[in-house]
Amino acid sequence: MPPSPRVGLFATCLMNLFRPNIGFATVKLLEEAGCMVEVPLAQTCCGQPGYNNGDFDAARALARQLIAVFEGFDYVVGPSGSCMATLRVDYPKLFENDADWLPRAEALAAKSWELLSFLTDVRGMSAVQADYAGTVTYHDSCSGLRSLGIQQQPRLLLASVGGLELTEMRDAEVCCGFGGTFCVKYPEISSRMADEKCANIDAAGVDTLLGGDLGCLLHMAGRLKRQGSTVKVFHTAEVLAGMATGEGIGGVPE
Amino acid sequence: MKVSSPQFKEKSVIALADPRLRQALGQSRKGFVNKRAELVGELPEFEQLRDEARDLKNHVLDNLDHYLERYEAAVTAAGGHVHWARDAEEARSIILNICQRVNAKTITKGKSMVSEEIGLNEALEAKGYTVVETDLGEYIIQLAHEPPSHIIAPAIHKTKEQVSELFETAHGGPRKSTVADLVTEARLVLRDKYFQADVGITGGNFLVAETGSSIIVTNEGNGDLTQTLAKVHIVTSGIERIVPTLEDVALFLRILARSATGQETETYTTLSTGPRRPDDVDGPEEYHVVLVDNGRSKMLGGKFQDMLRCIRCGACMNHCPVYGAIGGHAYGWVYPGPMGAVLTPLFVGLDATYDLPNACTLNGRCESVCPVRIPLPELLRELRHMQYQQGIRPPGEQRALGAWRFVAERPRLYQFANRLAARVLKGLGGRTGRIGSLPFASAWTDSRDMPAPEGKTFLELWQAKPR
Ligand code: SF4
């Protein structure tokens, strides 16, 4: 492993549009882990919406584009378990019958990492220099948890944050009902699932909700705010980078 | 059984608004989930057993013709009869013929999802037979004239109070209020029926190729009475339920009970091998097995073969948050939850079942508990792909996907569109930082606020950043 690997940051669609602060937090953490971070500007979406909606051709078209943009880096890292699972797990499946692209998809998959698992599992990070005065609970987003095995990594790093107290909520690993386009195709079911989640967050008695996927966070924040909850919502990376200031996702802007 | 899957959306919205359903589902599912987790935690080799079960099922499916022939030979050698049914209609007529030949009047039934699949009760009742479901859950929904809403707990959608109401009407009071009293009442009513029965119909959890035995696992013992007290025992089963040897059954029993109800073993595991032998004290005079294909052989050798490993434990629906929200009836046919969302489109057609593979967040919790490791989310995605290819999709959705692809394939346009959206949405959020109502995104904002963006995109901020 090169001592200072070149990391291409994958600026996931929702982060790019809704919450650049997570992107800058990601850069900061990667640099603290000794990486050289670059952000290629020709990147767009990983193609997951096409893949999950059955339009495999569209997914392949975007995957080819993204592979070409990122294959020169030592690693591709993004602050989302869901998007990174697409690169790491789904790309090889998409090209399983394509002799030209399969090796390229597999090569990219092998060096694609979700941020927190990259920091801990690849870079060996076990603590951060950050403070957060609050009681938090952590929601395990589904793709990160089940496709990439991300569960202990965020908890390990959060344990090193000064002033932070983590309380596990009940059913932390149950889906919040976001599910990409699911949340607008089946809004009633999606909202009921969010309600179950909100009730568990509420019961945990914390002031902050954390998670590793902005889609889920937007969804839970949206439902919490609609219910009048005062729980703040941040991406885990924002807290770990010491950049969780203000009212959080869906809160009054600074 | 009639397919109401096209009404999935309407039915799910109605289900969401039903407080009794919410109460009924919440309690029992939590029980299943917690008990399973506890027992699996106590068995360190559980994950390895799942691998073994998956591999063994794959082996059987790869050699299904061989095992089916062996099974048939073994059943015949034991004095039983195997009938092959290509579809539901053939299966019904085979069973009707047997009932007619033996001049049956009363028919008792143990729980069998295949009999639901082939619409057996309606067919028997139409011919004037008295059909009595003996599984408590099945008995309850028979009284309520409803289809099952769960594959192992058919009446899971009913509260205790609803059951007492049903029993009061059916049995003529006085009304019972405790579970124990309700069970006793059902037991007394059913006890007589077993002795009156001419034909007993059960399902088959496992069919053993080596011995020709059919095996049922129950917690009530009703299946045993159904199959030993009637003059004729008919087993209805899918062709995929074969296991090679009795030894192999032990493996499946270990994972089935734990996955299904969170028990180390179900209360009764009963083997039937042929009819009563001369020195047997009881047992049926005739023993028949109706092996139902009904679309299964078409799944062999293709992308959906994995689904044929299913041992009908119900763990996937117990752990599915969508099922947990809406219950089983909205799925609109026999099999609900994740396994039903895969099977129903394959059995009844993609057209009528658009919502089933789509009403899923692909969260993967089902796959993580499936004892035979069926990749349910992947199969659901594959069904979406088939729908997409066949143009089965609301037109608005198809257009939106097309537009998304057009923009995402053009990085400059994509960045521009995002910059624009970031500004517009930020403006709409104003000082609150969230958007309460957005006409073109009402599907989101009807029930959730939309957090407003920061105002500039990450990529534009990154470019502007001095380095
Ligand atoms: S799909 Fe798996 S979890 Fe679901 S019923 Fe079948 S065996 Fe059980």
Side-chain angles (χ1 to χ4, degrees):
Chain A
M1 193 202 295
S4 181
R6 265 182 80 226
V7 172
L9 172 69
F10 179 41
T12 63
C13 301
L14 292 176
M15 179 277 273
N16 182 51
L17 172 61
F18 280 94
R19 197 138 175 106
N21 193 46
I22 299 169
F24 289 106
T26 304
V27 173
K28 184 169 179 226
L29 289 166
L30 286 170
E31 286 176 350
E32 281 173 12
C35 305
M36 288 186 329
V37 183
E38 291 175 42
V39 183
L41 296 173
Q43 59 177 301
T44 68
C45 170
C46 68
Q48 193 197 96
Y51 187 51
N52 284 348
N53 279 293
D55 186 354
F56 290 5
D57 279 341
R60 271 188 281 266
L62 294 179
R64 281 192 290 266
Q65 184 173 291
L66 190 137
I67 291 169
V69 169
F70 280 104
E71 61 192 346
F73 289 96
D74 295 328
Y75 295 102
V76 189
V77 176
S80 156
S82 166
C83 307
M84 299 320 288
T86 301
L87 273 63
R88 206 173 155 77
V89 181
D90 299 332
Y91 276 12
K93 284 193 264 173
L94 271 171
F95 293 106
E96 64 188 357
N97 298 317
D98 184 332
D100 292 336
W101 279 91
L102 181 59
R104 294 174 74 176
E106 282 177 336
L108 192 86
K111 58 187 177 187
S112 297
W113 291 85
E114 180 277 340
L115 173 67
L116 299 191
S117 58
F118 179 74
L119 293 175
T120 54
D121 302 343
V122 179
R123 299 302 295 169
M125 194 189 252
S126 58
V128 291
Q129 299 295 322
D131 293 306
Y132 184 82
T135 53
V136 310
T137 196
Y138 175 83
H139 165 70
D140 292 280
S141 280
C142 302
S143 304
L145 174 68
R146 299 196 184 85
S147 298
L148 300 176
I150 295 164
Q151 190 168 30
Q152 291 318 313
Q153 299 91 326
R155 291 176 169 86
L156 171 77
L157 295 180
L158 284 171
S160 70
V161 173
L164 181 147
E165 190 192 316
L166 178 79
T167 305
E168 295 290 348
M169 69 173 128
R170 189 187 162 136
D171 289 342
E173 87 302 340
V174 175
C175 180
C176 71
F178 171 61
T181 49
F182 172 86
C183 70
V184 285
K185 281 161 90 167
Y186 302 94
E188 297 87 0
I189 303 175
S190 170
S191 300
R192 172 60 58 80
M193 290 162 71
D195 282 349
E196 303 280 337
K197 186 54 74 177
C198 293
N200 288 328
I201 295 167
D202 200 38
V206 294
D207 55 42
T208 306
L209 168 69
L210 300 180
D213 257 286
L214 184 53
C216 316
L217 295 172
L218 288 167
H219 184 236
M220 291 183 287
R223 189 67 185 166
L224 284 167
K225 302 290 169 204
R226 180 61 56 96
Q227 294 177 345
S229 164
T230 55
V231 170
K232 291 188 205 175
V233 181
F234 285 105
H235 190 287
T236 316
E238 295 177 284
V239 169
L240 295 176
M243 291 166 64
T245 54
E247 293 300 305
I249 297 163
V252 178
E254 288 173 86
Chain B
M1 203 177 118
K2 226 177 114 256
V3 182
S4 66
S5 308
Q7 286 85 51
F8 176 88
K9 274 202 158 177
E10 296 86 313
K11 290 177 90 171
S12 63
V13 171
I14 294 170
L16 286 166
D18 181 348
R20 285 190 299 189
L21 177 67
R22 195 172 182 187
Q23 185 198 343
L25 273 179
Q27 287 166 354
S28 17
R29 279 177 74 256
K30 282 210 176 84
F32 284 149
V33 167
N34 294 342
K35 278 192 277 171
R36 177 196 172 275
E38 199 181 299
L39 279 195
V40 164
E42 287 168 9
L43 192 67
E45 68 268 37
F46 189 74
E47 294 307 311
Q48 192 195 328
L49 295 178
R50 289 173 72 195
D51 289 341
E52 286 174 24
R54 174 199 56 205
D55 296 346
L56 186 57
K57 276 278 174 188
N58 283 345
H59 165 77
V60 171
L61 292 170
D62 288 340
N63 302 281
L64 191 58
D65 48 349
H66 164 75
Y67 283 113
L68 283 169
E69 279 170 15
R70 273 191 67 179
Y71 172 72
E72 181 180 30
V75 173
T76 313
H81 305 274
V82 171
H83 309 262
W84 303 89
R86 260 176 302 218
D87 53 26
E89 164 142 33
E90 273 191 17
R92 288 191 300 262
S93 72
I94 291 165
I95 295 165
L96 284 169
N97 283 340
I98 298 171
C99 294
Q100 199 180 4
R101 182 173 53 72
V102 302
N103 218 348
K105 290 183 186 59
T106 300
I107 297 168
T108 45
K109 282 186 71 209
K111 211 174 84 53
S112 152
M113 291 311 292
V114 169
S115 89
E116 300 282 350
E117 185 186 320
I118 62 175
L120 187 57
N121 285 14
E122 295 90 323
L124 290 170
E125 279 162 4
K127 292 278 181 217
Y129 297 107
T130 305
V131 181
V132 186
E133 293 286 354
T134 64
D135 172 270
L136 182 58
E138 290 283 346
Y139 179 67
I140 292 168
I141 60 168
Q142 191 186 25
L143 292 181
H145 304 289
E146 286 173 16
S149 73
H150 187 290
I151 60 172
I152 62 158
I156 194 170
H157 58 286
K158 292 256 179 265
T159 59
K160 189 178 67 189
E161 290 69 34
Q162 288 172 302
V163 175
S164 359
E165 268 167 50
L166 274 172
F167 278 15
E168 186 182 13
T169 319
H171 307 149
R175 190 168 174 151
K176 309 289 187 303
S177 58
T178 69
V179 173
D181 286 347
L182 289 166
V183 172
T184 309
E185 182 170 319
R187 178 178 283 157
L188 286 173
V189 173
L190 289 172
R191 189 60 47 152
D192 278 346
K193 308 283 183 192
Y194 294 115
F195 293 101
Q196 293 160 14
D198 308 294
V199 174
I201 300 178
T202 67
N205 288 85
F206 306 102
L207 306 175
V208 188
E210 174 190 45
T211 59
S213 313
S214 57
I215 299 182
I216 54 169
V217 285
T218 72
N219 272 324
E220 298 166 21
N222 64 304
D224 308 52
L225 297 173
T226 302
Q227 63 187 23
T228 39
L229 295 180
K231 284 199 285 290
V232 177
H233 176 199
I234 304 177
V235 179
T236 53
S237 180
I239 54 170
E240 82 285 15
R241 308 304 291 271
I242 297 265
V243 289
T245 66
L246 274 179
E247 184 89 20
D248 300 326
V249 174
L251 164 67
F252 287 105
L253 289 176
R254 294 184 78 192
I255 56 171
L256 174 61
R258 286 177 169 84
S259 302
T261 46
Q263 292 167 280
E264 282 178 4
T265 169
E266 308 290 350
T267 315
Y268 301 92
T269 299
T270 313
L271 290 82
S272 293
T273 313
R276 175 201 295 225
R277 281 159 292 236
D279 50 351
D280 284 348
V281 289
D282 55 17
E285 289 157 24
E286 291 182 28
Y287 174 81
H288 299 269
V289 183
V290 183
L291 287 177
V292 181
D293 181 345
N294 206 26
R296 290 166 170 79
S297 58
K298 272 195 282 181
M299 290 159 65
L300 283 171
K303 293 216 154 104
F304 295 99
Q305 177 170 315
D306 288 345
M307 194 62 228
L308 292 174
R309 291 203 296 269
C310 177
I311 56 173
R312 305 288 191 267
C313 71
C316 54
M317 55 201 76
N318 291 340
H319 291 78
C320 172
V322 173
Y323 178 95
I326 63 175
H329 283 156
Y331 292 82
W333 194 54
V334 177
Y335 301 107
M339 56 83 82
V342 176
L343 280 178
T344 310
L346 295 174
F347 281 0
V348 313
L350 288 181
D351 272 322
T353 54
Y354 168 76
D355 288 307
L356 268 47
N358 287 287
C360 163
T361 61
L362 302 179
N363 64 77
R365 201 168 176 227
C366 50
E367 181 179 1
S368 75
V369 296
C370 175
V372 285
R373 298 197 191 280
I374 297 173
L376 293 152
E378 205 175 306
L379 299 181
L380 290 169
R381 197 189 279 115
E382 191 58 41
L383 286 166
R384 296 178 188 184
H385 179 49
M386 286 162 62
Q387 291 176 332
Y388 185 84
Q389 285 178 314
Q390 297 177 25
I392 302 170
R393 190 165 284 277
E397 228 174 274
Q398 199 100 353
R399 277 197 300 275
L401 267 179
W404 160 79
R405 175 180 176 172
F406 184 88
V407 176
E409 278 190 297
R410 291 163 177 77
R412 282 164 170 279
L413 176 61
Y414 176 85
Q415 306 313 351
F416 173 75
N418 272 295
R419 288 175 189 212
L420 193 66
R423 284 165 176 74
V424 171
L425 291 174
K426 157 93 174 162
L428 289 172
R431 279 201 313 226
T432 61
R434 54 199 158 93
I435 303 159
S437 143
L438 202 55
F440 60 87
S442 59
W444 177 290
T445 55
D446 278 352
S447 55
R448 294 149 291 205
D449 288 348
M450 181 180 283
E454 293 172 23
K456 286 185 176 167
T457 69
F458 174 75
L459 289 176
E460 78 177 298
L461 290 167
W462 177 261
Q463 266 175 291
K465 202 176 145 207
R467 266 184 304 268

